[in-house]
Each structure stands twice: as structure tokens, then as C-alpha cells.
Amino acid sequence: MILVDDLLVRPFFSILNILHSMAIEEMYDVRAISNELKENQLLYELGDRDTEEYERRKAELEAELEVAEAAHEQLSGRVEVRR
């Protein structure tokens, strides 16, 4: 029974862990959020974005970045339980 469990169940959970990690990476892409912050700053400096819109978007992106960094920290610190 343990052999069947090791052959069938463990690969399934490994695939789930990989898919979960990929989903977290895509949902919480720190680099993309940082790039959006830079773009927001550039648009403001070029005059394409007014101060109110710039500040609102900056606050949104900074909050997203904080969540993304926390998600990546938790993901990297996650301990896998193996039998």
C-alpha cells in the first residue's frame, strides 16, 4: 500500500505544489508591479497623469507590492512535508 501511495500520490502532490508556485508567481509578480510604479512615476513627470491620479495609483501599486513581497516570502519559506 505504501508503495502504491508513493508511486501515485506523491507525484500528484508535487505537481500541485509546482502549479501553486507558478500561480503565486504570476499573481504576485513583484517585477511587474515595480515596473508599473516606475511607469506611473514617468507618466506623472511627463505630465500625462495629474497629481491626484498619480498619488491614487501609487498607493494602489505600493499596497499590491507589499502583498506580493509577503506572498513571495511565505512561498520561499514554505516547508514541504514529506512522508
Side-chain angles (χ1 to χ4, degrees):
M1 181 67 175
I2 293 176
L3 181 61
V4 172
D5 187 41
D6 285 347
L7 291 175
L8 297 176
V9 176
R10 189 173 295 184
F12 177 73
F13 283 111
S14 294
I15 291 170
L16 285 179
N17 281 336
I18 291 169
L19 291 175
H20 180 259
S21 297
M22 290 172 64
I24 295 295
E25 287 287 330
E26 189 171 329
M27 284 177 56
Y28 301 109
D29 188 353
V30 173
R31 183 178 294 154
I33 297 169
S34 295
N35 288 340
E36 285 186 57
L37 272 166
K38 292 173 190 174
E39 180 182 1
N40 187 49
Q41 176 74 31
L42 181 62
L43 289 172
Y44 175 69
E45 289 174 0
L46 292 173
D48 290 346
R49 196 162 274 178
D50 64 13
T51 304
E52 183 179 314
E53 185 179 357
Y54 164 73
E55 292 293 333
R56 180 190 56 77
R57 186 67 180 138
K58 180 181 175 190
E60 287 175 359
L61 290 169
E62 287 174 343
E64 284 182 36
L65 185 60
E66 188 176 320
V67 170
E69 288 172 342
H72 281 274
E73 186 177 312
Q74 285 182 350
L75 183 64
S76 66
R78 188 174 72 188
V79 176
E80 270 189 45
V81 177
R82 295 182 185 239
R83 288 190 198 196

